[in-house]
Amino acid sequence: MSDGKTGLQLRSLLKKSGELELSLVNVPTPEPADDEVVVRVEATPINPSDLGLLIGAADMSAARASGTKEMPVITATMPEGAMRMMAARFDQSLPVGNEGAGTVIATGASDAAKALMGKTVSMIGGAMYTQYRVLKVRDVMELPAGTTAADGASWFVNPLTALGMTETMRRENHKALVHTAAASNLGQMLNKICIKDGIGLVNIVRSKEQADILHKIGAKHVVDSSAPSFMDDLTNALVETGATIAFDAIGGGKLASQILTAMEVAANKTAKEYSRYGSNVYKHVYIYGSLDTRPTELNRSFGLSWGVGGWLLTPFLQNIGPAEIGRLRQRVASELKTTFASHYTKVVSLTEVLDPANIAVYAKRATGEKFLINPNK
C-alpha cells in the first residue's frame, strides 16, 4: 500500500533434508487493483486441511523452538515416508491458511470494491495466516450486519463441506448418510443441516463425551466405535435410516470396512431373496480425511455392490458450477450464527501459533480443541 504498510505472515518451509521450519516473515501489502480489496485479517481458523500444509506428518512432539520471542522459529522432522509425497514443495516458503474474516481497510477503484470499504467480510483464497490480505472482490463475502469476524471466520471449508455431503448424497441417489469423527465442528453443522432438512444421519464417535455433545444438539442416531456393541448399534441405526453412503474423516484402519459390512447386514435384513453375491444395494464410503494415517483395511464381507473413494471440497464445487455454489454460499451467510456456528477453545496470535504448548494441542487434531488465530491480536 502507498503508506508502505507491511504485515506478519506465517510460513511453512519443508527442506529437501527433511527438516520442517515454521516461521514469521514481514511482507509488504501490495496496492489493490481495481477489482481488489485489502482486508485486515482478524480471525482465521486452524482446520485439519490447514494442518496438512502447516505441519503435515511431521513429528511435532520433538519440535525445537528458536528465534526470538517476537519472531519465533519452530523446526521438526518430516518422516521419510511422507517426504516422497511432498517433493513439489521442497525448499519453498509457503503461506498457510485457507479461510478467514476481517475488515476491509482499502479498496481498488471499482464500484464493487469501493462498496466494501469498512465492511466486515469473510474470505477464501489461501495465505490467511497473515495480518493483511489483498483479494479479488469475488473471493470475499460481506457478512450480515451484527456478524463479527470470529463469527464469519469458518464460513467456507466446514459449512460447504457439510452441505457438499448432503448434496452428494442426493445427487448419487442415497437417502441418508453416515459420518465419522462426528462430534467435530463440521459434524455438528452436518447434524443441524440434517435435522433442518429432514435427512437421516448416523453419527460415529469414539467416546461417550462426544456422543453427549451430539445428543445435546438433537442428534438421533449416535454410535460409539469404542463400545463392544458397536457393530450391532451401527447396523440397527442403518436399518432405521436406510443410509447407504458414508463420509469418513478417519481414513486409516478398519472403520470404512466396518461401515460397509454393517450396511450390507442392514440391506440383507430387508432383502426379499438371497443372492450369493450379496445384496444388490449399492454402498459407498467417501474418505475425506486422514485422522488415522495407517493404511485403509477392507475385509471384503459386504458383497460386490460397493465403492470406496476420496472426496474433496474443491473438485465437488468445480463440478456443481457457479450458480449452485452461489446458492450454497447464500445459505451459509443466512445461517452463520445458527446451523453454521463454529466453537473455538482458544484464540491465539500469529506468534502464539508457534508456541510449543499450543502446537502440542492443535497438532493432535482432537475433537473439541479448535483454535482461532487473530493475526492482529
Side-chain angles (χ1 to χ4, degrees):
M1 291 171 67
S2 53
D3 62 359
K5 190 186 283 293
T6 64
L8 285 178
Q9 186 177 77
L10 182 58
R11 294 285 183 87
S12 176
L13 166 67
L14 179 60
K15 299 177 182 174
K16 211 177 272 183
S17 62
E19 183 179 81
L20 176 76
E21 183 181 282
L22 308 179
S23 65
L24 299 175
V25 295
N26 261 306
V27 293
T29 305
E31 284 282 352
D34 286 355
D35 62 342
E36 290 181 334
V37 293
V38 181
V39 182
R40 182 176 64 233
V41 184
E42 290 153 358
T44 171
I46 301 181
N47 288 319
S49 53
D50 300 312
L51 290 172
L53 176 59
L54 183 67
I55 58 177
D59 179 11
M60 301 311 289
S61 65
R64 304 170 300 284
S66 60
T68 64
K69 188 181 175 191
E70 290 75 25
M71 300 289 274
V73 177
I74 297 289
T75 48
T77 303
M78 191 68 72
E80 226 169 282
M83 290 289 286
R84 287 194 293 273
M85 309 287 287
M86 297 187 172
R89 64 165 291 190
F90 287 169
D91 298 323
Q92 296 176 67
S93 177
L94 299 175
V96 188
N98 287 319
E99 62 182 338
T103 305
V104 175
I105 57 166
T107 77
S110 73
D111 289 344
K114 287 197 285 195
L116 291 169
M117 184 64 195
K119 298 289 175 56
T120 304
V121 296
S122 50
M123 49 196 170
I124 186 78
M128 291 298 162
Y129 296 175
T130 189
Q131 289 182 310
Y132 304 99
R133 185 76 173 85
V134 179
L135 286 156
K136 298 233 177 266
V137 169
R138 67 165 184 262
D139 293 325
V140 306
M141 180 174 76
E142 183 180 345
L143 290 167
T147 308
T148 66
D151 290 333
S154 294
W155 73 285
F156 191 89
V157 175
N158 281 348
L160 289 184
T161 298
L163 286 171
M165 290 173 180
T166 57
E167 287 289 315
T168 301
M169 177 203 77
R170 290 189 190 99
R171 286 162 186 257
E172 298 183 3
N173 299 314
H174 301 271
K175 70 169 193 176
L177 66 157
V178 178
H179 186 225
T180 71
S184 63
N185 267 301
L186 168 61
Q188 291 177 52
M189 286 177 193
L190 184 59
N191 271 278
K192 291 173 185 173
I193 292 166
C194 289
I195 290 166
K196 192 163 189 169
D197 295 0
I199 298 167
L201 173 63
V202 178
N203 298 277
I204 299 177
V205 296
R206 289 177 283 187
S207 69
K208 184 185 176 302
E209 291 73 28
Q210 292 174 1
D212 290 344
I213 290 170
L214 293 178
H215 283 308
K216 268 187 199 145
I217 62 168
K220 188 174 177 190
H221 302 285
V222 186
V223 294
D224 182 349
S225 61
S226 67
S229 59
F230 170 57
M231 286 302 283
D232 286 339
D233 297 340
L234 177 58
T235 303
N236 291 337
L238 293 170
V239 169
E240 279 192 50
T241 58
T244 47
I245 184 171
F247 291 86
D248 177 27
I250 309 298
K254 298 175 182 171
L255 188 54
S257 189
Q258 289 174 310
I259 292 168
L260 289 169
T261 301
M263 284 177 176
E264 177 71 0
V265 173
N268 283 324
K269 284 193 175 188
T270 54
K272 301 285 184 285
E273 56 188 56
Y274 169 75
S275 164
R276 68 178 187 269
Y277 300 114
S279 77
N280 62 3
V281 174
Y282 183 69
K283 307 160 290 290
H284 197 96
V285 174
Y286 279 114
I287 293 171
Y288 78 97
S290 303
L291 293 175
D292 184 336
T293 54
R294 294 175 301 165
T296 305
E297 295 176 49
L298 296 177
N299 173 13
R300 299 214 350 249
S301 55
F302 31 78
L304 290 166
S305 188
W306 59 275
V308 174
W311 191 94
L312 199 59
L313 177 60
T314 305
F316 166 76
L317 293 175
Q318 287 166 345
N319 189 35
I320 66 172
E324 283 295 286
I325 294 170
R327 181 177 67 81
L328 298 182
R329 279 174 62 156
Q330 199 43 58
R331 178 168 181 184
V332 175
S334 62
E335 299 176 38
L336 207 47
K337 290 189 173 183
T338 52
T339 310
F340 302 106
S342 284
H343 309 283
Y344 307 99
T345 46
K346 195 166 186 180
V347 179
V348 293
S349 65
L350 285 173
T351 310
E352 289 165 339
V353 175
L354 301 183
D355 180 333
N358 287 328
I359 294 171
V361 179
Y362 66 69
K364 283 192 304 199
R365 300 166 165 87
T367 295
E369 286 288 356
K370 193 169 182 74
F371 279 51
L372 185 69
I373 304 169
N374 178 352
N376 282 285
K377 182 180 171 188

